[in-house]
Amino acid sequence: AQSVTQPDIHITVSEGASLELRCNYSYGATPYLFWYVQSPGQGLQLLLKYFSGDTLVQGIKGFEAEFKRSQSSFNLRKPSVHWSDAAEYFCAVGTANYQLIWGAGTKLIIKP
Amino acid sequence: GAGVSQSPRYKVAKRGQDVALRCDPISGHVSLFWYQQALGQGPEFLTYFQNEAQLDKSGLPSDRFFAERPEGSVSTLKIQRTQQEDSAVYLCATSEVSGANVLTFGAGSRLTVL
């Protein structure tokens, strides 16, 4: 069955520290992969996407993600977080028939 | 408009009432999706329109849920005889191309059924 797992419900990091949010997927074919961010009262915003090619993709706000086929993972990273990065982050897999399968999200908390 | 606009932002309904949620997409966007997001969960697919055609409604949880997009622009999600389990945020997302490759989301309509 197709699924997306975000193992961490909450992650707390200090401002200025590095960040890695984990995402594992189960999908039979080559997936389209996405990371979205949702701030309170805001719509989901696309951070970055992977369709093909270079497995390290750059996104907005200084985020990057690496597709590792052997590990079925697409982890999101940022070298130095800012307080404004506090939000909920969702990983999603795009299937051949246009649907998105979403993870349950990881809530990022920033310590001052 | 510049973004996807959803209204109302908040709706409180008594159990058994009918509700209608509106989505104004970005002008010219072909694809329109409705998702349901329960508290603490990721979005769950409800239905997909390509222009005015509803290509997939497999995610609608029951026949109390109905969606339309008659002119290929504004879409309405209607829930009849609301139940407490319908309480969620309903998200509309659109794309300028077919499919869900790059979606722009509205801020959502939060429905609370008492």
PDB file of all heavy atoms in Angstrom, chain A residues 32 34 36 38 41-44 46 49 51 90 97-100 102-105, chain B residues 9 33 35 37 40-43 45 48 56 91 99-103 105-107:
ATOM      1  N   TYR A  32       6.931  11.207  -7.181  1.00  0.00           N
ATOM      2  CA  TYR A  32       7.137  12.644  -7.073  1.00  0.00           C
ATOM      3  C   TYR A  32       7.076  12.950  -5.574  1.00  0.00           C
ATOM      4  O   TYR A  32       6.196  12.471  -4.874  1.00  0.00           O
ATOM      5  CB  TYR A  32       6.048  13.425  -7.792  1.00  0.00           C
ATOM      6  CG  TYR A  32       5.929  13.170  -9.266  1.00  0.00           C
ATOM      7  CD1 TYR A  32       4.722  13.363  -9.921  1.00  0.00           C
ATOM      8  CD2 TYR A  32       7.016  12.753 -10.021  1.00  0.00           C
ATOM      9  CE1 TYR A  32       4.601  13.153 -11.280  1.00  0.00           C
ATOM     10  CE2 TYR A  32       6.890  12.536 -11.384  1.00  0.00           C
ATOM     11  CZ  TYR A  32       5.686  12.739 -12.004  1.00  0.00           C
ATOM     12  OH  TYR A  32       5.565  12.520 -13.352  1.00  0.00           O
ATOM     13  N   PHE A  34       7.350  15.786  -2.259  1.00  0.00           N
ATOM     14  CA  PHE A  34       7.099  17.178  -1.902  1.00  0.00           C
ATOM     15  C   PHE A  34       7.297  17.374  -0.396  1.00  0.00           C
ATOM     16  O   PHE A  34       7.047  16.469   0.401  1.00  0.00           O
ATOM     17  CB  PHE A  34       5.653  17.582  -2.224  1.00  0.00           C
ATOM     18  CG  PHE A  34       5.233  17.356  -3.645  1.00  0.00           C
ATOM     19  CD1 PHE A  34       4.800  16.103  -4.072  1.00  0.00           C
ATOM     20  CD2 PHE A  34       5.262  18.394  -4.563  1.00  0.00           C
ATOM     21  CE1 PHE A  34       4.403  15.886  -5.377  1.00  0.00           C
ATOM     22  CE2 PHE A  34       4.865  18.186  -5.873  1.00  0.00           C
ATOM     23  CZ  PHE A  34       4.434  16.937  -6.285  1.00  0.00           C
ATOM     24  N   TYR A  36       5.798  20.402   2.211  1.00  0.00           N
ATOM     25  CA  TYR A  36       4.983  21.585   2.406  1.00  0.00           C
ATOM     26  C   TYR A  36       5.127  22.034   3.856  1.00  0.00           C
ATOM     27  O   TYR A  36       5.350  21.227   4.757  1.00  0.00           O
ATOM     28  CB  TYR A  36       3.509  21.289   2.130  1.00  0.00           C
ATOM     29  CG  TYR A  36       3.112  21.249   0.680  1.00  0.00           C
ATOM     30  CD1 TYR A  36       3.292  20.092  -0.081  1.00  0.00           C
ATOM     31  CD2 TYR A  36       2.540  22.358   0.060  1.00  0.00           C
ATOM     32  CE1 TYR A  36       2.915  20.056  -1.413  1.00  0.00           C
ATOM     33  CE2 TYR A  36       2.155  22.325  -1.270  1.00  0.00           C
ATOM     34  CZ  TYR A  36       2.347  21.172  -1.995  1.00  0.00           C
ATOM     35  OH  TYR A  36       1.977  21.133  -3.323  1.00  0.00           O
ATOM     36  N   GLN A  38       3.112  24.391   6.907  1.00  0.00           N
ATOM     37  CA  GLN A  38       1.827  24.983   7.298  1.00  0.00           C
ATOM     38  C   GLN A  38       2.020  25.765   8.584  1.00  0.00           C
ATOM     39  O   GLN A  38       2.290  25.191   9.636  1.00  0.00           O
ATOM     40  CB  GLN A  38       0.775  23.892   7.492  1.00  0.00           C
ATOM     41  CG  GLN A  38      -0.629  24.402   7.726  1.00  0.00           C
ATOM     42  CD  GLN A  38      -1.634  23.265   7.788  1.00  0.00           C
ATOM     43  OE1 GLN A  38      -1.380  22.209   8.348  1.00  0.00           O
ATOM     44  NE2 GLN A  38      -2.803  23.473   7.186  1.00  0.00           N
ATOM     45  N   GLY A  41      -3.012  29.256  10.832  1.00  0.00           N
ATOM     46  CA  GLY A  41      -3.882  30.175  10.120  1.00  0.00           C
ATOM     47  C   GLY A  41      -3.510  30.406   8.670  1.00  0.00           C
ATOM     48  O   GLY A  41      -4.147  31.208   7.982  1.00  0.00           O
ATOM     49  N   GLN A  42      -2.490  29.691   8.202  1.00  0.00           N
ATOM     50  CA  GLN A  42      -2.033  29.868   6.817  1.00  0.00           C
ATOM     51  C   GLN A  42      -2.301  28.608   6.011  1.00  0.00           C
ATOM     52  O   GLN A  42      -2.455  27.516   6.566  1.00  0.00           O
ATOM     53  CB  GLN A  42      -0.526  30.158   6.793  1.00  0.00           C
ATOM     54  CG  GLN A  42      -0.081  31.313   7.658  1.00  0.00           C
ATOM     55  CD  GLN A  42      -0.419  32.638   7.049  1.00  0.00           C
ATOM     56  OE1 GLN A  42      -0.312  32.816   5.837  1.00  0.00           O
ATOM     57  NE2 GLN A  42      -0.847  33.573   7.873  1.00  0.00           N
ATOM     58  N   GLY A  43      -2.334  28.777   4.713  1.00  0.00           N
ATOM     59  CA  GLY A  43      -2.436  27.612   3.856  1.00  0.00           C
ATOM     60  C   GLY A  43      -1.114  26.883   3.767  1.00  0.00           C
ATOM     61  O   GLY A  43      -0.066  27.414   4.119  1.00  0.00           O
ATOM     62  N   LEU A  44      -1.168  25.673   3.295  1.00  0.00           N
ATOM     63  CA  LEU A  44       0.048  24.913   3.054  1.00  0.00           C
ATOM     64  C   LEU A  44       0.850  25.568   1.932  1.00  0.00           C
ATOM     65  O   LEU A  44       0.304  25.953   0.902  1.00  0.00           O
ATOM     66  CB  LEU A  44      -0.305  23.480   2.644  1.00  0.00           C
ATOM     67  CG  LEU A  44      -0.789  22.592   3.777  1.00  0.00           C
ATOM     68  CD1 LEU A  44      -1.764  21.547   3.280  1.00  0.00           C
ATOM     69  CD2 LEU A  44       0.409  21.927   4.455  1.00  0.00           C
ATOM     70  N   LEU A  46       4.287  25.238  -0.563  1.00  0.00           N
ATOM     71  CA  LEU A  46       5.285  24.315  -1.091  1.00  0.00           C
ATOM     72  C   LEU A  46       6.691  24.821  -0.778  1.00  0.00           C
ATOM     73  O   LEU A  46       7.039  25.955  -1.099  1.00  0.00           O
ATOM     74  CB  LEU A  46       5.112  24.179  -2.596  1.00  0.00           C
ATOM     75  CG  LEU A  46       6.090  23.249  -3.309  1.00  0.00           C
ATOM     76  CD1 LEU A  46       5.873  21.804  -2.878  1.00  0.00           C
ATOM     77  CD2 LEU A  46       5.951  23.378  -4.824  1.00  0.00           C
ATOM     78  N   LYS A  49      10.283  20.373  -4.196  1.00  0.00           N
ATOM     79  CA  LYS A  49       9.748  19.176  -4.824  1.00  0.00           C
ATOM     80  C   LYS A  49      10.862  18.440  -5.557  1.00  0.00           C
ATOM     81  O   LYS A  49      11.849  19.045  -5.990  1.00  0.00           O
ATOM     82  CB  LYS A  49       8.635  19.533  -5.813  1.00  0.00           C
ATOM     83  CG  LYS A  49       9.084  20.429  -6.949  1.00  0.00           C
ATOM     84  CD  LYS A  49       7.904  20.874  -7.783  1.00  0.00           C
ATOM     85  CE  LYS A  49       8.344  21.699  -8.991  1.00  0.00           C
ATOM     86  NZ  LYS A  49       8.896  23.010  -8.599  1.00  0.00           N
ATOM     87  N   PHE A  51      11.128  15.707  -8.766  1.00  0.00           N
ATOM     88  CA  PHE A  51      10.478  14.954  -9.825  1.00  0.00           C
ATOM     89  C   PHE A  51      11.464  13.964 -10.441  1.00  0.00           C
ATOM     90  O   PHE A  51      11.128  12.804 -10.676  1.00  0.00           O
ATOM     91  CB  PHE A  51       9.924  15.886 -10.908  1.00  0.00           C
ATOM     92  CG  PHE A  51       8.720  16.682 -10.480  1.00  0.00           C
ATOM     93  CD1 PHE A  51       8.227  17.696 -11.285  1.00  0.00           C
ATOM     94  CD2 PHE A  51       8.075  16.441  -9.277  1.00  0.00           C
ATOM     95  CE1 PHE A  51       7.114  18.433 -10.907  1.00  0.00           C
ATOM     96  CE2 PHE A  51       6.971  17.166  -8.882  1.00  0.00           C
ATOM     97  CZ  PHE A  51       6.490  18.171  -9.700  1.00  0.00           C
ATOM     98  N   PHE A  90       4.920  18.982   6.307  1.00  0.00           N
ATOM     99  CA  PHE A  90       4.303  17.787   5.746  1.00  0.00           C
ATOM    100  C   PHE A  90       5.089  17.311   4.535  1.00  0.00           C
ATOM    101  O   PHE A  90       5.415  18.087   3.637  1.00  0.00           O
ATOM    102  CB  PHE A  90       2.864  18.077   5.307  1.00  0.00           C
ATOM    103  CG  PHE A  90       1.917  18.331   6.436  1.00  0.00           C
ATOM    104  CD1 PHE A  90       1.712  19.613   6.907  1.00  0.00           C
ATOM    105  CD2 PHE A  90       1.229  17.279   7.033  1.00  0.00           C
ATOM    106  CE1 PHE A  90       0.834  19.850   7.960  1.00  0.00           C
ATOM    107  CE2 PHE A  90       0.353  17.506   8.082  1.00  0.00           C
ATOM    108  CZ  PHE A  90       0.159  18.796   8.541  1.00  0.00           C
ATOM    109  N   ASN A  97      -1.586   8.974 -10.739  1.00  0.00           N
ATOM    110  CA  ASN A  97      -2.929   9.464 -11.063  1.00  0.00           C
ATOM    111  C   ASN A  97      -3.229  10.760 -10.332  1.00  0.00           C
ATOM    112  O   ASN A  97      -4.357  11.007  -9.954  1.00  0.00           O
ATOM    113  CB  ASN A  97      -3.973   8.399 -10.737  1.00  0.00           C
ATOM    114  CG  ASN A  97      -4.038   8.098  -9.253  1.00  0.00           C
ATOM    115  OD1 ASN A  97      -3.142   8.467  -8.500  1.00  0.00           O
ATOM    116  ND2 ASN A  97      -5.090   7.448  -8.812  1.00  0.00           N
ATOM    117  N   TYR A  98      -2.222  11.577 -10.100  1.00  0.00           N
ATOM    118  CA  TYR A  98      -2.352  12.961  -9.621  1.00  0.00           C
ATOM    119  C   TYR A  98      -2.652  13.098  -8.148  1.00  0.00           C
ATOM    120  O   TYR A  98      -2.631  14.177  -7.612  1.00  0.00           O
ATOM    121  CB  TYR A  98      -3.451  13.735 -10.401  1.00  0.00           C
ATOM    122  CG  TYR A  98      -4.833  13.121 -10.268  1.00  0.00           C
ATOM    123  CD1 TYR A  98      -5.561  13.238  -9.101  1.00  0.00           C
ATOM    124  CD2 TYR A  98      -5.380  12.393 -11.306  1.00  0.00           C
ATOM    125  CE1 TYR A  98      -6.794  12.651  -8.970  1.00  0.00           C
ATOM    126  CE2 TYR A  98      -6.621  11.818 -11.188  1.00  0.00           C
ATOM    127  CZ  TYR A  98      -7.328  11.944 -10.021  1.00  0.00           C
ATOM    128  OH  TYR A  98      -8.551  11.351  -9.900  1.00  0.00           O
ATOM    129  N   GLN A  99      -2.951  12.025  -7.450  1.00  0.00           N
ATOM    130  CA  GLN A  99      -3.265  12.203  -6.036  1.00  0.00           C
ATOM    131  C   GLN A  99      -1.991  12.406  -5.226  1.00  0.00           C
ATOM    132  O   GLN A  99      -0.916  11.950  -5.599  1.00  0.00           O
ATOM    133  CB  GLN A  99      -4.024  10.994  -5.515  1.00  0.00           C
ATOM    134  CG  GLN A  99      -5.443  10.903  -6.015  1.00  0.00           C
ATOM    135  CD  GLN A  99      -6.282   9.953  -5.197  1.00  0.00           C
ATOM    136  OE1 GLN A  99      -5.956   9.659  -4.053  1.00  0.00           O
ATOM    137  NE2 GLN A  99      -7.363   9.460  -5.775  1.00  0.00           N
ATOM    138  N   LEU A 100      -2.129  13.094  -4.115  1.00  0.00           N
ATOM    139  CA  LEU A 100      -1.036  13.236  -3.158  1.00  0.00           C
ATOM    140  C   LEU A 100      -1.351  12.397  -1.925  1.00  0.00           C
ATOM    141  O   LEU A 100      -2.470  12.428  -1.410  1.00  0.00           O
ATOM    142  CB  LEU A 100      -0.853  14.694  -2.744  1.00  0.00           C
ATOM    143  CG  LEU A 100      -0.277  15.646  -3.779  1.00  0.00           C
ATOM    144  CD1 LEU A 100      -0.182  17.055  -3.205  1.00  0.00           C
ATOM    145  CD2 LEU A 100       1.095  15.185  -4.228  1.00  0.00           C
ATOM    146  N   TRP A 102      -0.202  11.981   1.900  1.00  0.00           N
ATOM    147  CA  TRP A 102       0.445  12.866   2.864  1.00  0.00           C
ATOM    148  C   TRP A 102       0.886  12.114   4.115  1.00  0.00           C
ATOM    149  O   TRP A 102       0.214  11.183   4.577  1.00  0.00           O
ATOM    150  CB  TRP A 102      -0.531  13.959   3.299  1.00  0.00           C
ATOM    151  CG  TRP A 102      -0.961  14.864   2.203  1.00  0.00           C
ATOM    152  CD1 TRP A 102      -1.911  14.616   1.271  1.00  0.00           C
ATOM    153  CD2 TRP A 102      -0.458  16.171   1.928  1.00  0.00           C
ATOM    154  NE1 TRP A 102      -2.033  15.693   0.425  1.00  0.00           N
ATOM    155  CE2 TRP A 102      -1.158  16.663   0.804  1.00  0.00           C
ATOM    156  CE3 TRP A 102       0.510  16.986   2.522  1.00  0.00           C
ATOM    157  CZ2 TRP A 102      -0.924  17.930   0.268  1.00  0.00           C
ATOM    158  CZ3 TRP A 102       0.741  18.247   1.985  1.00  0.00           C
ATOM    159  CH2 TRP A 102       0.039  18.709   0.882  1.00  0.00           C
ATOM    160  N   GLY A 103       1.997  12.578   4.691  1.00  0.00           N
ATOM    161  CA  GLY A 103       2.355  12.152   6.027  1.00  0.00           C
ATOM    162  C   GLY A 103       1.509  12.897   7.051  1.00  0.00           C
ATOM    163  O   GLY A 103       0.769  13.824   6.714  1.00  0.00           O
ATOM    164  N   ALA A 104       1.649  12.499   8.302  1.00  0.00           N
ATOM    165  CA  ALA A 104       0.845  13.104   9.376  1.00  0.00           C
ATOM    166  C   ALA A 104       1.422  14.414   9.873  1.00  0.00           C
ATOM    167  O   ALA A 104       0.786  15.103  10.671  1.00  0.00           O
ATOM    168  CB  ALA A 104       0.697  12.133  10.535  1.00  0.00           C
ATOM    169  N   GLY A 105       2.618  14.753   9.410  1.00  0.00           N
ATOM    170  CA  GLY A 105       3.199  16.042   9.767  1.00  0.00           C
ATOM    171  C   GLY A 105       4.156  15.962  10.943  1.00  0.00           C
ATOM    172  O   GLY A 105       4.059  15.080  11.798  1.00  0.00           O
TER     173      GLY A 105
ATOM    174  N   ARG B   9     -14.010  31.274   6.629  1.00  0.00           N
ATOM    175  CA  ARG B   9     -12.811  30.737   7.282  1.00  0.00           C
ATOM    176  C   ARG B   9     -13.181  29.846   8.466  1.00  0.00           C
ATOM    177  O   ARG B   9     -12.497  28.873   8.761  1.00  0.00           O
ATOM    178  CB  ARG B   9     -11.919  31.871   7.751  1.00  0.00           C
ATOM    179  CG  ARG B   9     -11.223  32.626   6.638  1.00  0.00           C
ATOM    180  CD  ARG B   9     -10.173  31.771   5.932  1.00  0.00           C
ATOM    181  NE  ARG B   9      -9.294  31.079   6.864  1.00  0.00           N
ATOM    182  CZ  ARG B   9      -8.230  31.613   7.439  1.00  0.00           C
ATOM    183  NH1 ARG B   9      -7.898  32.864   7.173  1.00  0.00           N
ATOM    184  NH2 ARG B   9      -7.475  30.908   8.268  1.00  0.00           N
ATOM    185  N   PHE B  33      -8.556  20.824  -6.172  1.00  0.00           N
ATOM    186  CA  PHE B  33      -8.677  19.706  -5.246  1.00  0.00           C
ATOM    187  C   PHE B  33      -9.339  20.178  -3.963  1.00  0.00           C
ATOM    188  O   PHE B  33      -9.110  21.303  -3.511  1.00  0.00           O
ATOM    189  CB  PHE B  33      -7.287  19.158  -4.867  1.00  0.00           C
ATOM    190  CG  PHE B  33      -6.536  18.519  -6.003  1.00  0.00           C
ATOM    191  CD1 PHE B  33      -5.877  19.288  -6.949  1.00  0.00           C
ATOM    192  CD2 PHE B  33      -6.468  17.149  -6.108  1.00  0.00           C
ATOM    193  CE1 PHE B  33      -5.171  18.699  -7.986  1.00  0.00           C
ATOM    194  CE2 PHE B  33      -5.761  16.548  -7.142  1.00  0.00           C
ATOM    195  CZ  PHE B  33      -5.118  17.332  -8.079  1.00  0.00           C
ATOM    196  N   TYR B  35      -9.449  18.847   0.052  1.00  0.00           N
ATOM    197  CA  TYR B  35      -8.891  17.946   1.048  1.00  0.00           C
ATOM    198  C   TYR B  35      -9.580  18.197   2.385  1.00  0.00           C
ATOM    199  O   TYR B  35     -10.026  19.305   2.677  1.00  0.00           O
ATOM    200  CB  TYR B  35      -7.388  18.197   1.247  1.00  0.00           C
ATOM    201  CG  TYR B  35      -6.511  17.786   0.091  1.00  0.00           C
ATOM    202  CD1 TYR B  35      -6.215  18.673  -0.934  1.00  0.00           C
ATOM    203  CD2 TYR B  35      -5.947  16.518   0.038  1.00  0.00           C
ATOM    204  CE1 TYR B  35      -5.394  18.307  -1.985  1.00  0.00           C
ATOM    205  CE2 TYR B  35      -5.123  16.144  -1.016  1.00  0.00           C
ATOM    206  CZ  TYR B  35      -4.852  17.044  -2.015  1.00  0.00           C
ATOM    207  OH  TYR B  35      -4.037  16.678  -3.062  1.00  0.00           O
ATOM    208  N   GLN B  37      -8.705  17.926   6.456  1.00  0.00           N
ATOM    209  CA  GLN B  37      -7.592  17.777   7.387  1.00  0.00           C
ATOM    210  C   GLN B  37      -8.126  17.746   8.811  1.00  0.00           C
ATOM    211  O   GLN B  37      -8.573  18.775   9.337  1.00  0.00           O
ATOM    212  CB  GLN B  37      -6.570  18.896   7.220  1.00  0.00           C
ATOM    213  CG  GLN B  37      -5.318  18.701   8.058  1.00  0.00           C
ATOM    214  CD  GLN B  37      -4.263  19.770   7.835  1.00  0.00           C
ATOM    215  OE1 GLN B  37      -4.561  20.870   7.366  1.00  0.00           O
ATOM    216  NE2 GLN B  37      -3.025  19.465   8.175  1.00  0.00           N
ATOM    217  N   GLY B  40      -4.316  17.312  13.853  1.00  0.00           N
ATOM    218  CA  GLY B  40      -3.134  16.480  14.049  1.00  0.00           C
ATOM    219  C   GLY B  40      -2.832  15.510  12.928  1.00  0.00           C
ATOM    220  O   GLY B  40      -1.980  14.630  13.080  1.00  0.00           O
ATOM    221  N   GLN B  41      -3.503  15.676  11.805  1.00  0.00           N
ATOM    222  CA  GLN B  41      -3.314  14.757  10.674  1.00  0.00           C
ATOM    223  C   GLN B  41      -2.902  15.523   9.422  1.00  0.00           C
ATOM    224  O   GLN B  41      -3.068  16.741   9.334  1.00  0.00           O
ATOM    225  CB  GLN B  41      -4.609  14.001  10.394  1.00  0.00           C
ATOM    226  CG  GLN B  41      -5.110  13.166  11.550  1.00  0.00           C
ATOM    227  CD  GLN B  41      -4.174  12.037  11.881  1.00  0.00           C
ATOM    228  OE1 GLN B  41      -3.622  11.380  10.997  1.00  0.00           O
ATOM    229  NE2 GLN B  41      -3.957  11.808  13.165  1.00  0.00           N
ATOM    230  N   GLY B  42      -2.406  14.783   8.463  1.00  0.00           N
ATOM    231  CA  GLY B  42      -2.183  15.360   7.154  1.00  0.00           C
ATOM    232  C   GLY B  42      -3.485  15.438   6.380  1.00  0.00           C
ATOM    233  O   GLY B  42      -4.484  14.831   6.758  1.00  0.00           O
ATOM    234  N   PRO B  43      -3.482  16.198   5.296  1.00  0.00           N
ATOM    235  CA  PRO B  43      -4.695  16.296   4.481  1.00  0.00           C
ATOM    236  C   PRO B  43      -5.081  14.948   3.878  1.00  0.00           C
ATOM    237  O   PRO B  43      -4.227  14.142   3.547  1.00  0.00           O
ATOM    238  CB  PRO B  43      -4.294  17.281   3.376  1.00  0.00           C
ATOM    239  CG  PRO B  43      -3.147  18.049   3.931  1.00  0.00           C
ATOM    240  CD  PRO B  43      -2.409  17.079   4.809  1.00  0.00           C
ATOM    241  N   PHE B  45      -7.400  13.351   0.735  1.00  0.00           N
ATOM    242  CA  PHE B  45      -8.026  13.696  -0.541  1.00  0.00           C
ATOM    243  C   PHE B  45      -9.535  13.474  -0.483  1.00  0.00           C
ATOM    244  O   PHE B  45     -10.016  12.443   0.000  1.00  0.00           O
ATOM    245  CB  PHE B  45      -7.410  12.825  -1.636  1.00  0.00           C
ATOM    246  CG  PHE B  45      -8.115  12.886  -2.966  1.00  0.00           C
ATOM    247  CD1 PHE B  45      -7.888  13.944  -3.832  1.00  0.00           C
ATOM    248  CD2 PHE B  45      -9.007  11.894  -3.335  1.00  0.00           C
ATOM    249  CE1 PHE B  45      -8.528  13.997  -5.061  1.00  0.00           C
ATOM    250  CE2 PHE B  45      -9.652  11.941  -4.560  1.00  0.00           C
ATOM    251  CZ  PHE B  45      -9.414  12.995  -5.427  1.00  0.00           C
ATOM    252  N   TYR B  48     -11.379  15.809  -6.968  1.00  0.00           N
ATOM    253  CA  TYR B  48     -10.523  16.502  -7.921  1.00  0.00           C
ATOM    254  C   TYR B  48     -11.337  16.926  -9.135  1.00  0.00           C
ATOM    255  O   TYR B  48     -12.087  16.122  -9.705  1.00  0.00           O
ATOM    256  CB  TYR B  48      -9.389  15.573  -8.337  1.00  0.00           C
ATOM    257  CG  TYR B  48      -8.602  15.979  -9.569  1.00  0.00           C
ATOM    258  CD1 TYR B  48      -8.042  17.247  -9.668  1.00  0.00           C
ATOM    259  CD2 TYR B  48      -8.394  15.091 -10.627  1.00  0.00           C
ATOM    260  CE1 TYR B  48      -7.305  17.616 -10.777  1.00  0.00           C
ATOM    261  CE2 TYR B  48      -7.644  15.455 -11.739  1.00  0.00           C
ATOM    262  CZ  TYR B  48      -7.111  16.714 -11.814  1.00  0.00           C
ATOM    263  OH  TYR B  48      -6.372  17.084 -12.913  1.00  0.00           O
ATOM    264  N   ASP B  56     -12.553  12.775 -10.136  1.00  0.00           N
ATOM    265  CA  ASP B  56     -12.391  11.777  -9.081  1.00  0.00           C
ATOM    266  C   ASP B  56     -13.103  12.282  -7.841  1.00  0.00           C
ATOM    267  O   ASP B  56     -12.828  13.385  -7.374  1.00  0.00           O
ATOM    268  CB  ASP B  56     -10.896  11.556  -8.797  1.00  0.00           C
ATOM    269  CG  ASP B  56     -10.618  10.383  -7.864  1.00  0.00           C
ATOM    270  OD1 ASP B  56     -11.520   9.977  -7.101  1.00  0.00           O
ATOM    271  OD2 ASP B  56      -9.481   9.869  -7.893  1.00  0.00           O
ATOM    272  N   LEU B  91      -9.623  22.031   3.004  1.00  0.00           N
ATOM    273  CA  LEU B  91      -8.628  22.759   2.228  1.00  0.00           C
ATOM    274  C   LEU B  91      -8.947  22.656   0.749  1.00  0.00           C
ATOM    275  O   LEU B  91      -9.271  21.587   0.235  1.00  0.00           O
ATOM    276  CB  LEU B  91      -7.239  22.179   2.469  1.00  0.00           C
ATOM    277  CG  LEU B  91      -6.716  22.215   3.899  1.00  0.00           C
ATOM    278  CD1 LEU B  91      -5.446  21.383   4.025  1.00  0.00           C
ATOM    279  CD2 LEU B  91      -6.437  23.653   4.314  1.00  0.00           C
ATOM    280  N   GLY B  99      -3.403  17.826 -12.732  1.00  0.00           N
ATOM    281  CA  GLY B  99      -2.723  17.052 -11.720  1.00  0.00           C
ATOM    282  C   GLY B  99      -2.322  17.865 -10.508  1.00  0.00           C
ATOM    283  O   GLY B  99      -2.638  19.046 -10.381  1.00  0.00           O
ATOM    284  N   ALA B 100      -1.575  17.217  -9.635  1.00  0.00           N
ATOM    285  CA  ALA B 100      -1.267  17.794  -8.323  1.00  0.00           C
ATOM    286  C   ALA B 100       0.211  18.092  -8.170  1.00  0.00           C
ATOM    287  O   ALA B 100       0.724  18.123  -7.078  1.00  0.00           O
ATOM    288  CB  ALA B 100      -1.702  16.823  -7.226  1.00  0.00           C
ATOM    289  N   ASN B 101       0.900  18.325  -9.277  1.00  0.00           N
ATOM    290  CA  ASN B 101       2.341  18.490  -9.180  1.00  0.00           C
ATOM    291  C   ASN B 101       2.765  19.708  -8.379  1.00  0.00           C
ATOM    292  O   ASN B 101       3.693  19.637  -7.591  1.00  0.00           O
ATOM    293  CB  ASN B 101       2.953  18.544 -10.575  1.00  0.00           C
ATOM    294  CG  ASN B 101       2.981  17.168 -11.211  1.00  0.00           C
ATOM    295  OD1 ASN B 101       2.750  16.175 -10.540  1.00  0.00           O
ATOM    296  ND2 ASN B 101       3.243  17.117 -12.485  1.00  0.00           N
ATOM    297  N   VAL B 102       2.139  20.825  -8.598  1.00  0.00           N
ATOM    298  CA  VAL B 102       2.480  22.022  -7.835  1.00  0.00           C
ATOM    299  C   VAL B 102       1.172  22.691  -7.436  1.00  0.00           C
ATOM    300  O   VAL B 102       0.495  23.288  -8.272  1.00  0.00           O
ATOM    301  CB  VAL B 102       3.345  23.008  -8.643  1.00  0.00           C
ATOM    302  CG1 VAL B 102       3.665  24.225  -7.782  1.00  0.00           C
ATOM    303  CG2 VAL B 102       4.633  22.339  -9.103  1.00  0.00           C
ATOM    304  N   LEU B 103       0.819  22.579  -6.184  1.00  0.00           N
ATOM    305  CA  LEU B 103      -0.457  23.083  -5.706  1.00  0.00           C
ATOM    306  C   LEU B 103      -0.300  24.368  -4.916  1.00  0.00           C
ATOM    307  O   LEU B 103       0.674  24.531  -4.178  1.00  0.00           O
ATOM    308  CB  LEU B 103      -1.124  22.041  -4.796  1.00  0.00           C
ATOM    309  CG  LEU B 103      -1.554  20.730  -5.443  1.00  0.00           C
ATOM    310  CD1 LEU B 103      -2.125  19.798  -4.397  1.00  0.00           C
ATOM    311  CD2 LEU B 103      -2.560  20.983  -6.546  1.00  0.00           C
ATOM    312  N   PHE B 105      -2.430  26.302  -2.065  1.00  0.00           N
ATOM    313  CA  PHE B 105      -3.506  26.025  -1.126  1.00  0.00           C
ATOM    314  C   PHE B 105      -4.149  27.318  -0.637  1.00  0.00           C
ATOM    315  O   PHE B 105      -3.479  28.344  -0.447  1.00  0.00           O
ATOM    316  CB  PHE B 105      -2.968  25.278   0.091  1.00  0.00           C
ATOM    317  CG  PHE B 105      -2.779  23.810  -0.133  1.00  0.00           C
ATOM    318  CD1 PHE B 105      -1.650  23.326  -0.771  1.00  0.00           C
ATOM    319  CD2 PHE B 105      -3.734  22.901   0.285  1.00  0.00           C
ATOM    320  CE1 PHE B 105      -1.472  21.973  -0.991  1.00  0.00           C
ATOM    321  CE2 PHE B 105      -3.572  21.544   0.074  1.00  0.00           C
ATOM    322  CZ  PHE B 105      -2.439  21.084  -0.564  1.00  0.00           C
ATOM    323  N   GLY B 106      -5.442  27.228  -0.378  1.00  0.00           N
ATOM    324  CA  GLY B 106      -6.109  28.252   0.391  1.00  0.00           C
ATOM    325  C   GLY B 106      -5.838  28.048   1.873  1.00  0.00           C
ATOM    326  O   GLY B 106      -5.260  27.035   2.282  1.00  0.00           O
ATOM    327  N   ALA B 107      -6.288  29.005   2.677  1.00  0.00           N
ATOM    328  CA  ALA B 107      -6.047  28.940   4.123  1.00  0.00           C
ATOM    329  C   ALA B 107      -6.968  27.951   4.814  1.00  0.00           C
ATOM    330  O   ALA B 107      -6.747  27.611   5.974  1.00  0.00           O
ATOM    331  CB  ALA B 107      -6.193  30.317   4.747  1.00  0.00           C
TER     332      ALA B 107
END
